[in-house]
Amino acid sequence: MTEKRPPSSASHNGGNCTPSPGASTETIDPAEETKLLGKLDLFFVPIIMAVYLSCFLDRSNIGNVKVAGMPEDIHATSQQISTAVSIFYATYVLVEAPWAIALKKITPRILMTALCVVWSLTTIFSGFITSIGGLYAARLVLGSCEGGLFPGLNLYLTMVYKREEQAKRVSYLFVCTALSGAFGGLLAYLILKMDGVGGYAGWRWVYIIEGLFSMLVAVMVWFGLPNDPTQAYFLNERERELMQIRERQRAQYMGEEKFSWEEVRITLRDPKLWFSGLIQFCQDILLYGFSTFLPSIIESMGYNSLQAQYLTIPVYVVGGGSFLALSFASDRLTLRSPFLVFANFFGIVGYALMLSPVSNGVKFFGTFLCAIAAYTGPGMNITWLNVNVAPHHRRAAAIGFQQTMANCAGIVAGQIYRSSPYTLGNAFSLGAIGVAQVMIGVLAMYIRRQTRLKERIAKGELEDTRKVRTGDRELDFGYHL
C-alpha cells in the first residue's frame, strides 16, 4: 500500500532538510519494503559476491603461488615477482574511470560479463606461462579487465539500493575480498597437493582451476544481473511497482539518464573526490599489501609454505567479519567516518606489534588486528563517497577517479613488500594509516562545513552564490558524516 508522506520529511536523502519540490512523496509500507530488500539481497548479493570473489582470487593468487615454487619454475627473481604484482595496476588504474562512465552505455550485463570472461581466460592461461615476460603480459591483461569491476559493482549497487542501505551491501564486496584470501589460502593448500598431476606443477593447477571457477561466475553474471534492476526477472508485478516507487524516491540521488561531460567536470572540481582519493590510496596500501603478501608475511614468522596457506584463513575471516558488523552499524546510524577511524586504530596496533621485537605468536596476533583495518577501511571510505555524491553520472566519475587514485597503491604495495621479514612494507603501511586518519578528519570537517553552509543558505542567512546547485549540492541533500 502506498500513501503520501508529509513534505517535511527527507529521509530518503539521509538529511534533515525539506525535500525539493520535485522529490517523490510516495512511501512504502515498511514490512513490504523489508520483504522486497530481502528478495533483492537473495538474488543479487550472491552473484555480486561471487564475481568479486573470483576477481580477487585471480588477482591475489600470485601471493599463493609465490611460496609454492612458481618463481623458480619460470626463473624469476623476488624483485621480478614484486614487479609483476605492481604491473597489474598499471592498466588497472587507467581503465577504472572510463569503464565506470561507460557502464550505462554498454549496459552492466554486457560489460561485466565480457570483463569476467576475458580475465577468466587470462587466469587459466597463466597456468601455462614459462617466463617472467608471460607473467607480466598476463598481469597487464588481468588489470585492464578487473579495473572495470569494482567501480561497476559499486554503481550497480547504487542503482538497486538507497543511500542508507549501501554500507551493508558494499561490505559484502569486501567480505569477498577477505573470503578470497581465506578461500584462496585453503584452495591453494588443497590444489597444491595436485603437484605433478598431468605433469603440471601444483601452482599451475591453482591458476587453471581458479580461472575455470571464474568462467562459471561469468555465466552467473550474464543470467543473473539485469540491466534495469526495477524490472528484474525475479520480481512480481507488485514488487516491480515498489521498485519504481523507490526509484522515484531516489530521483535526486540518481539524476538524469543522459550522460553529461559537465557532471564529470563538476566531479573533478569537488574536494570530496580528492580527499576521498587520498584516503583510499592510504587504505589500499594496507589492503593490497596485506591481502597479496599475507602468506609470505606468515612464512617469515617461521612457518612452512603449507602452514602459511591455511594460517591465513582465520585472519581473513576476522577481517571480513569485522567489516560486516561495522557496516551494519554504519547504515543504521548513517555515519561513516567514525567507523573508519575506529577500524584504523586496530591496524595501528597490529602493525606496531609486527614491527616490535616480540614473539612470533604475538606478531601473528597482530595480523588479525591489521585485517580489521585492511578490510573495513577501503570499504567504508568508498561507501562514504557513494552516498555523498549525486546524481548518477557525477557519482560514476567520482568512483572511477577515486579508484584510479587509490589503486596506484597496488603499484606501491608490490615494491614495499620485497623481502622477509617485510619491515619496510609493514612500516610503510603503518605510516599510511596515520596519514589516512588525518585526511579522514579533514574530509569530515569539510563535509560538516558544507552542511552548515547549506543550512545557513536555506534559512536565508546567506546569499546562495554557489555555481553548482544540483545533485548533492541541492539544499535538501543531506551529507553523511
Side-chain angles (χ1 to χ4, degrees), residues 401-471:
F401 288 121
Q402 188 236 42
Q403 288 296 296
T404 296
M405 288 186 281
N407 284 307
C408 291
I411 300 173
V412 176
Q415 299 305 308
I416 59 178
Y417 281 93
R418 292 183 178 180
S419 57
S420 179
Y422 304 105
T423 302
L424 174 62
N426 292 331
F428 201 101
S429 297
L430 179 58
I433 300 181
V435 174
Q437 295 289 69
V438 173
M439 296 307 299
I440 293 164
V442 173
L443 178 54
M445 288 190 291
Y446 173 78
I447 289 175
R448 188 183 295 275
R449 180 171 174 268
Q450 293 303 303
T451 298
R452 289 174 178 168
L453 176 64
K454 286 184 178 184
E455 290 172 350
R456 294 188 66 189
I457 293 172
K459 292 176 181 177
E461 297 176 3
L462 287 177
E463 181 184 355
D464 193 353
T465 58
R466 299 173 304 153
K467 294 181 179 179
V468 180
R469 304 179 189 181
T470 59

Side-chain angles (χ1 to χ4, degrees), residues 35-289:
K35 184 179 178 181
L36 175 63
L37 283 173
K39 194 168 186 178
L40 292 172
D41 288 344
L42 180 64
F43 282 86
F44 283 141
V45 169
I47 297 172
I48 289 172
M49 290 183 71
V51 69
Y52 200 61
L53 173 64
S54 72
C55 163
F56 221 84
L57 269 177
D58 294 342
R59 177 192 316 183
S60 60
N61 54 18
I62 190 171
N64 299 112
V65 300
K66 177 177 179 286
V67 296
M70 186 263 281
E72 293 78 8
D73 287 355
I74 65 172
H75 310 291
T77 65
S78 179
Q79 178 57 46
Q80 287 175 321
I81 296 299
S82 293
T83 300
V85 172
S86 296
I87 205 172
F88 168 89
Y89 297 97
T91 48
Y92 190 99
V93 300
L94 290 176
V95 302
E96 286 180 294
W99 282 141
I101 293 170
L103 179 75
K104 275 200 171 183
K105 182 71 172 178
I106 300 176
T107 72
R109 187 186 190 189
I110 292 176
L111 178 62
M112 287 193 277
T113 302
L115 294 177
C116 193
V117 167
V118 176
W119 90 60
S120 300
L121 290 172
T122 302
T123 303
I124 293 170
F125 293 142
S126 295
F128 301 95
I129 59 173
T130 57
S131 67
I132 189 63
L135 181 61
Y136 288 162
R139 297 288 292 179
L140 286 170
V141 174
L142 205 61
S144 65
C145 294
E146 292 193 7
L149 184 73
F150 186 70
L153 290 180
N154 262 285
L155 282 170
Y156 197 83
L157 289 174
T158 69
M159 293 164 63
V160 179
Y161 298 100
K162 296 180 181 179
R163 295 170 69 209
E164 63 271 20
E165 299 163 355
Q166 286 184 28
K168 185 191 303 183
R169 278 78 192 184
V170 172
S171 77
Y172 297 148
L173 296 182
F174 281 88
V175 165
C176 285
T177 305
L179 284 176
S180 74
F183 181 61
L186 178 60
L187 191 60
Y189 175 75
L190 296 174
I191 297 175
L192 288 173
K193 292 182 177 294
M194 294 176 63
D195 189 45
V197 173
Y200 292 113
W203 67 266
R204 295 186 183 277
W205 283 113
V206 170
Y207 277 127
I208 294 168
I209 292 176
E210 291 185 1
L212 290 172
F213 168 72
S214 297
M215 190 64 76
L216 292 176
V217 171
V219 176
M220 292 173 58
V221 173
W222 176 258
F223 289 104
L225 292 186
N227 290 325
D228 183 1
T230 66
Q231 299 297 317
Y233 64 94
F234 55 82
L235 297 175
N236 60 39
E237 185 176 346
R238 174 56 182 163
E239 289 164 342
R240 290 178 182 177
E241 180 185 343
L242 296 178
M243 287 292 286
Q244 292 290 343
I245 295 172
R246 283 167 57 87
E247 191 81 354
R248 290 191 290 272
Q249 289 176 342
R250 300 184 310 131
Q252 181 188 45
Y253 182 55
M254 295 305 295
E256 297 290 333
E257 289 287 322
K258 187 178 179 181
F259 174 74
S260 168
W261 282 108
E262 180 59 26
E263 297 291 4
V264 176
R265 286 189 286 270
I266 291 171
T267 301
L268 291 173
R269 294 193 294 265
D270 189 348
K272 296 195 299 294
L273 165 64
W274 300 103
F275 288 137
S276 180
L278 289 172
I279 295 168
Q280 196 76 3
F281 175 83
C282 293
Q283 300 288 167
D284 280 355
I285 291 285
L286 276 64
L287 177 64
Y288 295 140

Side-chain angles (χ1 to χ4, degrees), residues 361-395:
V362 174
K363 290 183 178 181
F364 181 59
F365 172 71
T367 64
F368 286 87
L369 302 181
C370 292
I372 297 174
Y375 291 104
T376 301
M380 194 64 69
N381 187 54
I382 189 67
T383 302
W384 198 14
L385 182 68
N386 276 355
V387 300
N388 282 333
V389 178
H392 173 85
H393 290 296
R394 197 180 302 176
R395 184 166 56 256

